[in-house]
Amino acid sequence: MPADHPAVPPARIGILIANLGTPDATDYWSMRRYLNEFLSDRRVIDYPRWKWQPILQGIILTKRPFTSGANYRLIWNNEANESPLMTITRNQSAALAKAAAARWGDRVMVDFCMRYGNPSTASVVARMVRAGCDRILFLPLYPQYAGATTATANDQFFRALMAEKRQPASRTVAEYFARPDYIAALAASVRRTLGERIPQRLVASYHGMPIRYLTEGDPYHCQCQKTTRLLRDALGWPEGVIDTTFQSVFGREEWLKPYTVKHVAELARQGVTDIAVISPAFAADCIETLEEINGEIRDAYIHAGGKDFTYIPCLNDDPEHIAMLTDLIADNLGGWV
C-alpha cells in the first residue's frame, strides 16, 4: 500500500452475542434512561406512539424508576458495581472467546452487546469493524424466538450495520429451543441442583407476552411448550410433573397463561409442598430470575402454604452451556471458517 494509505487490519470474523440489557446503575436517572429505551421499543410495546408515549413519559417513568431501582439493588453485584446480567454475559463472552480461540485461532473475535443500555450494539459493531471484522455472526441469547426479544435484537444489529462505511457481511443465529445439546444442558442443570430428588412439581417459568402476539403469528408460546416437553423427556419424568407458566406480566392486556405467581400459589393451596422453578427462556440470570422468581414468586408460594421452594439457576457460563453455544456458533459459521 502507499505510505499515506489508511491502516488496514487483518481480516477477521466477529462473533457478537447479545442479551436484553441492564441499567448502568440503580439511581433514578440511570433507571429512567434504561426503562425509557426499553419501553419505547415498538417491538416490546406496540401501541401507537401518540397513545403510549404520554402514558410512558408522564406516569410510568415518573414512578417506576424508583421501584425498579429498589429491586435491582436487592441483586446488584456491588463488588463490580454492575447488574448480575452484565457480569454473567461478560463471563459468557470470555468463555466463548477462549473456546473460539482454541477452535479457530486468532481469526475470530468474540464480543458482547446489549439491546438496551451499555455496551450498545452500535458501539460493539463499530469496534468489531475497526478491528478488521469483515464478517459478523450475530447471536441473540434467546433460546425461543419472540418479536420482543430475538427480532428487536436483530433490528438493532441491522441498524448498527447501516451506520458503517465498510459494512461487513452478516448472519444472524436462529432460535435454538429444540437443539438436543441445549435440552441436555437444561436437564443437567436440573440434576445438578436437585440431585436424584424429583419435586412434586417442576415449574418451567418463561417470560410472558400478550396473547395477542400469539394470534398475530409470534411462535414464542409454541416453542416454550415444546422446550418443556423435551426437557421432561430428557429427564425421563412422567407427565404432570412439569408445568409451563409465564411471568413478568405488564399492563392491562391479557397475557399468556397461566401466570407463574398465581400458579405457584394455587399449587400451595392444593397441598403441593415441594416445588422447583426453572427459567428456560433466560440464558443468564437477571432481574426476572434473581428478584422476581427467587423473591416475589417464592414469597407467593410460601405465603399460600408451600414449604420447599428451589430455584434452578440459568445456564449462565456453565461449561456445558458454553460448549453448546460454541457448537451452535460453529454450525452457523459454515463457509466462513
Side-chain angles (χ1 to χ4, degrees):
M1 293 184 296
D4 61 348
H5 193 285
V8 179
R12 306 173 76 186
I13 297 168
I15 298 169
L16 179 55
I17 64 172
N19 217 319
L20 182 76
T22 171
D24 295 324
T26 62
D27 61 277
Y28 174 83
W29 289 109
S30 296
M31 292 302 311
R32 184 179 176 113
R33 283 193 299 272
Y34 172 71
L35 291 171
N36 182 51
E37 184 181 10
F38 176 42
L39 297 176
S40 292
D41 185 350
R42 292 298 304 278
R43 289 279 195 180
V44 176
I45 307 291
D46 64 354
Y47 300 145
R49 289 184 61 84
W50 65 265
K51 182 178 182 180
W52 173 242
Q53 282 297 318
I55 297 172
L56 176 63
Q57 303 298 331
I59 301 174
I60 295 174
L61 292 181
T62 300
K63 299 178 180 179
R64 187 155 180 170
F66 291 110
T67 56
S68 294
N71 289 336
Y72 266 98
R73 282 191 287 275
L74 294 174
I75 64 166
W76 200 250
N77 181 348
N78 292 308
E79 183 177 349
N81 192 26
E82 62 187 19
S83 75
L85 179 66
M86 178 68 78
T87 304
I88 293 167
T89 307
R90 181 185 293 108
N91 291 344
Q92 289 173 327
S93 179
L96 285 171
K98 184 177 180 180
R103 190 175 292 200
W104 300 297
D106 59 4
R107 292 180 298 162
V108 171
M109 171 184 179
V110 179
D111 211 332
F112 74 96
C113 67
M114 299 294 181
R115 170 59 183 89
Y116 314 105
N118 297 305
S120 68
T121 305
S123 68
V124 182
V125 167
R127 181 163 65 238
M128 286 185 148
V129 171
R130 290 195 301 270
C133 293
D134 59 2
R135 287 162 289 178
I136 298 178
L137 179 68
F138 185 69
L139 170 55
L141 289 175
Y142 304 112
Q144 299 80 20
Y145 174 95
T149 54
T150 311
T152 191
N154 288 338
D155 290 345
Q156 197 74 348
F157 175 57
F158 298 140
R159 279 190 285 266
L161 293 177
M162 291 170 63
E164 294 303 322
K165 184 72 69 177
R166 169 61 164 99
Q167 190 178 69
S170 62
R171 293 176 180 173
T172 60
V173 179
E175 64 270 23
Y176 49 93
F177 67 98
R179 278 183 65 100
D181 49 359
Y182 163 67
I183 298 300
L186 283 179
S189 73
V190 173
R191 297 189 186 99
R192 185 165 53 248
T193 301
L194 300 180
E196 298 300 319
R197 179 173 67 89
I198 300 179
Q200 288 177 271
R201 202 67 57 89
L202 173 63
V203 177
S205 180
Y206 299 82
H207 199 287
M209 69 163 52
I211 290 178
R212 174 171 54 85
Y213 291 13
L214 169 62
T215 62
E216 291 172 350
D218 197 302
Y220 177 72
H221 177 264
C222 300
Q223 293 182 2
C224 293
Q225 295 286 356
K226 187 168 183 178
T227 298
T228 300
R229 178 174 61 79
L230 292 173
L231 174 60
R232 186 198 70 215
D233 292 345
L235 290 169
W237 290 2
E239 291 189 28
V241 176
I242 306 181
D243 297 338
T244 297
T245 64
F246 300 91
Q247 63 183 88
S248 308
V249 176
F250 177 80
R252 298 180 179 180
E253 204 170 348
E254 186 176 8
W255 283 43
L256 297 175
K257 293 181 178 178
Y259 299 148
T260 304
V261 67
K262 293 182 178 180
H263 184 73
V264 299
E266 181 59 29
L267 288 176
R269 286 190 287 268
Q270 293 173 0
V272 177
T273 60
D274 174 20
I275 70 170
V277 180
I278 189 171
S279 300
F282 298 95
D285 276 306
C286 54
I287 189 74
E288 286 85 0
T289 63
L290 298 176
E291 191 282 325
E292 185 177 1
I293 289 180
N294 222 9
E296 175 190 352
I297 291 169
R298 174 191 289 271
D299 291 346
Y301 176 70
I302 299 300
H303 182 74
K307 294 181 180 179
D308 296 323
F309 182 104
T310 303
Y311 171 62
I312 299 170
C314 293
L315 296 178
N316 296 326
D317 59 347
D318 179 78
E320 193 163 349
H321 188 211
I322 298 302
M324 183 278 292
L325 290 174
T326 304
D327 287 342
L328 174 65
I329 289 167
D331 291 345
N332 284 271
L333 287 178
W336 280 8
V337 294

